[in-house]
Amino acid sequence: MEIYLTGNKPIFEEIIDSMRLYIKHGILKQGERLPSVRELAISLAVNPNTVMRAYQILTDEGLLVSIPKKGLYVAGDVKEEEPSKLVLLRLKEILKEGYKVSDIEKALKQLKEEKAHD
């Protein structure tokens, strides 16, 4: 992913515009992990606060999803079904970590039982 800064707009807006285009044209795909704030700031030679501002706006728009301790991921168009898509992204990460579907099913069953007793 390349972001070219032209100087025609504030830097955070150029980052936002580039990411919107990459998501729209499928270059950044749903579930794809984005570079960390620090990584992107270093590659663009900009202040990390600038990147953080751009990421926050894209997250507020629903184009990115933040998964604590994992990073930022492309959410795609999640406004209509945001909760289920967010859960799906998190489950994919859990599976990548080596958990089995049966482990997830057991945990969900336990959670359901705990919730029934609340």
Side-chain angles (χ1 to χ4, degrees):
M1 174 182 73
E2 295 289 328
I3 296 176
Y4 299 101
L5 303 176
T6 64
N8 294 333
K9 293 181 176 182
I11 295 169
F12 78 95
E13 287 183 12
E14 290 193 87
I15 294 169
I16 291 168
D17 290 347
S18 294
M19 295 226 175
R20 281 181 186 146
L21 278 174
Y22 286 143
I23 292 168
K24 179 181 176 180
H25 294 293
I27 295 165
L28 287 173
K29 298 180 182 359
Q30 186 173 353
E32 187 171 338
R33 187 175 186 279
L34 294 175
S36 71
V37 169
R38 182 178 296 139
E39 290 169 342
L40 188 57
I42 289 170
S43 73
L44 296 174
V46 301
N47 188 309
N49 291 331
T50 302
V51 175
M52 192 178 307
R53 184 174 181 189
Y55 277 177
Q56 185 59 54
I57 291 169
L58 290 164
T59 300
D60 291 346
E61 291 177 358
L63 293 174
L64 303 181
V65 173
S66 175
I67 299 178
K69 298 183 183 180
K70 295 293 178 190
L72 274 169
Y73 293 81
V74 176
D77 186 15
V78 296
K79 291 185 180 177
E80 292 177 16
E81 303 174 46
E82 187 169 331
S84 63
K85 287 190 179 185
L86 179 58
V87 169
L88 185 59
L89 283 172
R90 289 184 177 171
L91 286 173
K92 285 180 182 180
E93 282 302 308
I94 290 170
L95 289 170
K96 285 181 186 176
E97 291 175 7
Y99 288 93
K100 297 177 182 164
V101 173
S102 60
D103 296 332
I104 296 170
E105 289 171 341
K106 286 178 190 175
L108 287 172
K109 183 178 178 182
Q110 181 180 351
L111 184 62
K112 185 178 178 181
E113 290 171 2
E114 289 173 7
K115 190 134 178 120
H117 291 98
D118 287 343

